[in-house]
Amino acid sequence: RRPPRSTLFPYSTLFRSTVDAGTGSQARESMDFICISSVNKKDPDVVLTADRILYIESMGNLLKIHYLSDEAKMTTRVVRNTLKNLAVLEHPDLYRCHRSFVLNRRMINQINGNSNGYMVKLMHVEDEIPVSRKYAADFIQMQNADRTSYTR
């Protein structure tokens, strides 16, 4: 039996209503929810918006999902699944930087190292996340592309 894959809901399917303070009109803002399922059916799914995920760490057949809680504090949930089963990796803000780590590109604060391997410091996280040599070239190319798109 194959384990369940996590689900990436389309941008247009889930909405949050917002009220404009100036006009009082209500607008619908699409949100990008990510659902990470557990192989163990008794465990609840983890459903988060992509911008709250800091990074995901794989430890064998367990995933440690590090995310921002409603109080803007780092919180961790453990789910029985593997990175191989994650459809989350298809999300543009989430990047697999190591065989055991996926990080949120929008949360990068600092990058240290060289082409033999980088260490990434994320906002709200004390530990550094490794970028392996296998992913180093793509990672730097992605970061350079992000910088040029912000400066235009």
Side-chain angles (χ1 to χ4, degrees):
R1 197 175 111 199
R2 193 157 187 232
R5 290 181 56 95
S6 61
T7 307
L8 178 63
F9 292 104
Y11 293 104
S12 59
T13 58
L14 299 172
F15 292 92
R16 172 176 60 191
S17 294
T18 57
V19 178
D20 187 342
T23 63
S25 64
Q26 195 171 26
R28 286 174 45 161
E29 175 185 342
S30 73
M31 294 183 65
D32 197 11
F33 281 86
I34 292 175
C35 176
I36 300 174
S37 303
S38 175
V39 174
N40 187 353
K41 296 294 182 191
K42 293 182 230 172
D43 294 339
D45 294 345
V46 178
V47 180
L48 298 165
T49 56
D51 62 341
R52 290 181 49 194
I53 295 175
L54 296 168
Y55 69 100
I56 301 170
E57 180 180 2
S58 173
M59 298 168 55
N61 63 348
L62 295 176
L63 295 177
K64 286 177 78 175
I65 304 158
H66 302 271
Y67 63 96
L68 289 176
S69 66
D70 293 334
E71 297 83 33
K73 292 184 181 180
M74 188 174 89
T75 308
T76 303
R77 291 271 309 270
V78 177
V79 173
R80 185 172 300 279
N81 209 330
T82 63
L83 283 180
K84 187 177 181 180
N85 293 329
L86 284 187
V88 168
L89 299 176
E90 299 166 7
H91 191 279
D93 288 346
L94 300 178
Y95 179 75
R96 186 169 187 170
C97 61
H98 189 275
R99 71 179 187 173
S100 300
F101 289 92
V102 173
L103 59 81
N104 188 336
R105 296 172 37 192
R106 305 269 181 226
M107 295 292 181
I108 294 175
N109 194 25
Q110 184 179 355
I111 302 170
N112 299 316
N114 56 37
S115 60
N116 288 330
Y118 294 95
M119 296 300 282
V120 177
K121 186 83 172 129
L122 300 175
M123 291 182 268
H124 308 284
V125 179
E126 290 182 24
D127 299 329
E128 290 184 323
I129 309 300
V131 178
S132 67
R133 285 182 286 177
K134 177 180 177 180
Y135 297 99
D138 289 339
F139 178 73
I140 293 304
Q141 184 178 9
M142 173 195 67
Q143 286 301 112
N144 290 338
D146 282 351
R147 265 192 226 122
T148 57
S149 68
Y150 290 137
T151 57
R152 288 184 187 171

